[in-house]
Amino acid sequence: PSAVGDTVSMCNLGLARFGPEASLADFIGDDFSSYKIYHWDPSQTNSSSGFNDNGHKHYIVPTAVVMGSAYWIKTTTAGILDAVNSAGFYMEVGEDGSPETIVLDIHAGWNMIGTPYSFSILSDDLYIDTDNDGHSLPIDSIPTTFITHQLYWIAPTNVADPTSSGYSSGPGVAHPEVGLFPFGGYWINAAQACTMVFRPIGGGAASGEITDGGTGGAAAAPFILMGAPGLNPSTADWTVQLYVQSPAGSDYENFAGVRPTTAAAASFYEPPVAPGGVSLAFVDGGKKYSQKLKTSGEDPTWAVEIYSAAAGPLTIHPSNVSSVPANLPVTMRDETTGDVVNLRASSY
């Protein structure tokens, strides 16, 4: 997508201003004088020349915004997207006045979602209707081969690196518990089409008790994996983090490593790159991963692919290399130049 400014945010419609769907003007209101808005839809392809690569071809310009969906908003200036509108608010409510359940169609592939409520909900309070028959189950009880349990987001204020355009993810190593915060946007990947069911289970989330993960959480700073001093490295259990910095921003949460069993060797897909951002991914079998773990019997090599929307120098930084046994070399080979770098000694 063509950039019109320096501010990009993934947002969702918490309280719809005029109904369960709203026009773009209703959604943005008078918060920003100049903006562009994009939504990822794997069932559609944008024919514009600016969207012809695999990282952007499913970004479309929506005609309306829908409760439960999320959207990229590109603006010329920073600002606050609020829910203030003289025409009033809209929310589905039951007979007792409490918020009702909201359902959202999920496509096979990547989907942009967000809580449709004015309060936070935990990611494990999401429900999935696999057969679209009105019967839903908690997401944690649905096999990850059907829909991943991982969410990805970009914190709006990264206190340690304001240029970060890479995703945080959880539940996982970096963020054991994830809250979906009002007006925040999140990625989730599904292998098959289904229905996501949002239930108004606020609990502690509504009172701000969620402190890890999500766009409003305490984990706004980049997560850097660091091994504990004195740890005895195991050939069957180690993790290296790679993070990249370029003129387009930075991407931190990318992990490769080895686990003793197949069950422990979890791998997570890499979500579509943020418009105008940078992305590092591990490529295997034609698919991209933000985390790719192998078992100790597999070849401990990974293909790495980097995309940057801005030209200029980029640097790949390793972290937690000390978790790799000393008898194993940790190197990176540039397939373009043939240069080989010892990542135990330096970045590249």
Side-chain angles (χ1 to χ4, degrees), residues 102-324:
I102 300 295
V103 297
L104 179 69
D105 291 335
I106 296 295
H107 299 282
W110 286 102
N111 294 264
M112 300 172 70
I113 68 168
T115 172
Y117 305 117
S118 59
F119 48 83
S120 304
I121 60 175
L122 290 172
S123 61
D124 54 14
D125 286 330
L126 296 172
Y127 278 66
I128 302 298
D129 180 351
T130 58
D131 298 319
N132 297 320
D133 60 0
H135 178 67
S136 60
L137 295 171
I139 190 171
D140 286 348
S141 67
I142 306 297
T144 56
T145 52
F146 191 97
I147 187 169
T148 62
H149 300 173
Q150 290 287 114
L151 297 180
Y152 296 81
W153 66 91
I154 293 181
T157 303
N158 193 317
V159 295
D161 185 357
T163 69
S164 177
S165 61
Y167 297 102
S168 295
S169 66
V173 174
H175 312 291
E177 184 180 69
V178 174
L180 285 75
F181 289 80
F183 287 90
Y186 305 81
W187 287 105
I188 193 167
N189 186 276
Q192 301 179 44
C194 57
T195 300
M196 178 168 288
V197 181
F198 298 92
R199 298 187 177 188
I201 307 173
S207 58
E209 294 179 11
I210 297 176
T211 58
D212 194 14
T215 55
F223 176 83
I224 306 296
L225 185 63
M226 301 290 288
L231 185 67
N232 293 320
S234 167
T235 57
D237 192 0
W238 53 266
T239 305
V240 170
Q241 178 180 6
L242 294 180
Y243 59 96
V244 61
Q245 294 175 311
S246 85
S250 52
D251 181 13
Y252 283 88
E253 294 186 17
N254 310 286
F255 306 97
V258 168
R259 294 293 183 271
T261 65
T262 301
S267 295
F268 304 132
Y269 292 123
E270 173 80 1
V273 63
V278 62
S279 171
L280 185 151
F282 303 102
V283 182
D284 187 23
K287 297 182 179 180
K288 297 181 180 180
Y289 298 85
S290 62
Q291 176 173 300
K292 185 63 179 175
L293 302 181
K294 300 184 178 184
T295 60
S296 56
E298 295 181 271
D299 179 21
T301 61
W302 289 259
V304 177
E305 180 179 288
I306 296 174
Y307 169 86
S308 178
L314 60 83
T315 304
I316 303 171
H317 302 276
S319 186
N320 205 45
V321 178
S322 61
S323 72
V324 183

Side-chain angles (χ1 to χ4, degrees), residues 13-31 63-67 82-92 183:
L13 185 64
L15 289 171
R17 292 179 173 180
F18 299 104
E21 292 190 10
S23 69
L24 300 186
D26 294 336
F27 182 45
I28 304 297
D30 56 359
D31 297 327
T63 57
V65 291
V66 180
M67 293 181 74
D82 58 36
V84 177
N85 190 287
S86 59
F89 303 106
Y90 174 92
M91 174 173 278
E92 295 283 357
F183 287 90

